[in-house]
Amino acid sequence: MTLVLAVDIGGSFVKSAVTRPDGQLYDFQKVATPTSLDAFMLVMDQLVDANDIQGIAISSPGSIESSGLNVGYSAVPYLYHENLKVLCEGRYGVPVSIENDGNCAALAEYECGAAEGIASFVCIVIGTGIGGGIVHHGELLRGAHLHAGEFGYLMLDMANGNTWSETGSSSALTKRAGFLNGEEVFKRAGHSPEAASALEHFFHTLAAGIFSIQYILDPQRVLLGGGITQQSAFLKGINEAIEALYRQKSYAAVKPEIRLCQAGSHAQLTGAVHLWKKQWKDEAGCLQE
C-alpha cells in the first residue's frame, strides 16, 4: 500500500515520489511545472488517482504560514496567496503538510543527511533561484516574516541591481553561458571560452554569497544542494573559489565548512515526508522511523 505522496514544486519541474511502509521513497516522477494553479491541480489529480495514499507532503517555494497559506513570492507566482494545504485536504480528503522547499531540504539533512548531529547550519539550494533553510540550535529559524533562509534576496550585484538568485543561480549560469542547462556548461567548460567564463563567474558569485552568510550567521556547516551540485566538478570549483576569496580577504579567519547535501535532488521530498510524519503521528504509525 502506498502511504504518503511527496510533491516538490520547483520553478522548472514538479517532482514526486511515494513513501511505502519501509519508509523509503519510490516511484520518482518529474514533469514540467504547470503554468497555472488549475493545471497544477490536474497534475495532482493524476498523482493521487495513481496511488492509494493516506497523506500528502508538499515542498513548496515561497513563505508558508502554519495554516498553509503561501505569503512569499517565488518562481511559481500562482502559488502566492494560495493555500495548497486547505485546497488539497478538501479535494482529496487526506491529511496534508506543506513547508518551504528550502526548509524541507534542511530538515532532510538534519534528520538523516550531511547535518546529522550538527546543531547549527545553513542549507543553500541552488536551482532556478537560490533558496535555503537555517537550523539554529536544532530548530528551524523561520524569521519574523517567515523569510529566514531566503538567501536569493541577497544583493550581491549592486552595480546592476541584481540579487543572488539573479546572478548566482543555475538558471543565471545557463543564461550567461548561452547553453541549454548547467550540465552542458560544465561539459563544455574545457573547450568553450564562453562556458569557462560563465562557470568562473558562477563560482565566484556563489563564494561571495557563502562568505557573507558565514559572517552573518556563523554556522557550523554550510550545505549546498540542488541539481547543479551533482556535477562532479562542482565541489572542487566552489572550494577553489572560496580559497581565492579568502586569499583576497586575509583578515577573515573563519572559513565555512562546506558539504554537499546527501539527499541530493531528493532532499525536498525527503524533508517534506519527515515533516508530514511529525505533524500526523497517528497516520504515520505504520511508517518506519
Side-chain angles (χ1 to χ4, degrees):
M1 174 185 290
T2 299
L3 294 173
V4 177
L5 170 66
V7 179
D8 173 36
I9 309 168
S12 301
F13 298 101
V14 173
K15 301 175 184 176
S16 66
V18 290
T19 300
R20 298 189 186 282
D22 62 3
Q24 300 299 309
L25 291 170
Y26 294 87
D27 300 334
F28 293 95
Q29 296 187 40
K30 183 170 76 173
V31 299
T33 303
T35 57
S36 70
L37 182 61
D38 288 343
F40 171 78
M41 294 311 298
L42 291 178
V43 171
M44 289 294 297
D45 288 348
Q46 294 173 358
L47 292 172
V48 171
D49 289 344
N51 297 283
D52 183 13
I53 63 169
Q54 293 184 356
I56 300 173
I58 300 176
S59 162
S60 170
S63 301
I64 313 296
E65 292 184 343
S66 58
S67 68
L69 181 65
N70 192 328
V71 295
Y73 192 79
S74 72
V76 188
Y78 57 79
L79 296 178
Y80 189 41
H81 284 164
E82 291 290 344
N83 192 323
L84 283 184
K85 173 180 168 60
V86 171
L87 184 58
C88 289
E89 286 181 341
R91 193 174 181 113
Y92 306 120
V94 296
V96 176
S97 66
I98 183 169
E99 179 57 272
N100 168 269
D101 48 4
N103 287 343
C104 284
L107 283 173
E109 299 300 329
Y110 183 62
E111 294 286 344
C112 57
E116 193 171 4
I118 300 295
S120 299
F121 69 95
V122 299
C123 179
I124 301 170
V125 181
I126 307 156
T128 306
I130 296 179
I134 302 168
V135 172
H136 185 62
H137 294 317
E139 299 290 337
L140 269 177
L141 182 64
R142 300 177 185 277
H145 306 92
L146 303 174
H147 278 60
E150 294 287 357
F151 303 122
Y153 282 92
L154 284 172
M155 293 296 293
L156 295 178
D157 178 20
M158 291 302 294
N160 298 299
N162 291 322
T163 66
W164 201 20
S165 282
E166 291 166 329
T167 59
S169 63
S170 56
S171 60
L173 169 66
T174 55
K175 183 179 180 180
R176 188 174 296 111
F179 294 133
L180 185 61
N181 54 55
E183 181 179 2
E184 188 179 7
V185 179
F186 273 84
K187 285 182 177 178
R188 297 194 182 191
H191 50 82
S192 166
E194 292 80 10
S197 175
L199 209 52
E200 181 182 5
H201 188 279
F202 172 69
F203 281 127
H204 174 75
T205 306
L206 280 183
I210 293 168
F211 179 95
S212 300
I213 291 169
Q214 180 64 51
Y215 276 90
I216 294 170
L217 296 172
D218 195 17
Q220 292 172 265
R221 188 171 289 175
V222 174
L223 307 184
L224 301 179
I228 196 74
T229 66
Q230 300 304 301
Q231 297 300 313
S232 59
F234 178 88
L235 191 57
K236 180 175 183 288
I238 188 58
N239 279 326
E240 288 179 348
I242 289 284
E243 289 299 325
L245 190 56
Y246 272 80
R247 284 195 295 273
Q248 294 176 17
K249 308 297 178 186
S250 58
Y251 52 81
V254 181
K255 290 185 179 180
E257 180 186 334
I258 294 177
R259 302 283 181 86
L260 297 183
C261 292
Q262 290 184 359
S265 58
H266 299 151
Q268 289 87 344
L269 294 172
T270 302
V273 171
H274 278 297
L275 184 70
W276 186 93
K277 290 163 66 177
K278 287 184 177 180
Q279 291 186 357
W280 302 100
K281 292 180 180 178
D282 292 340
E283 285 77 2
C286 49
L287 282 173
Q288 293 183 0
E289 293 297 334

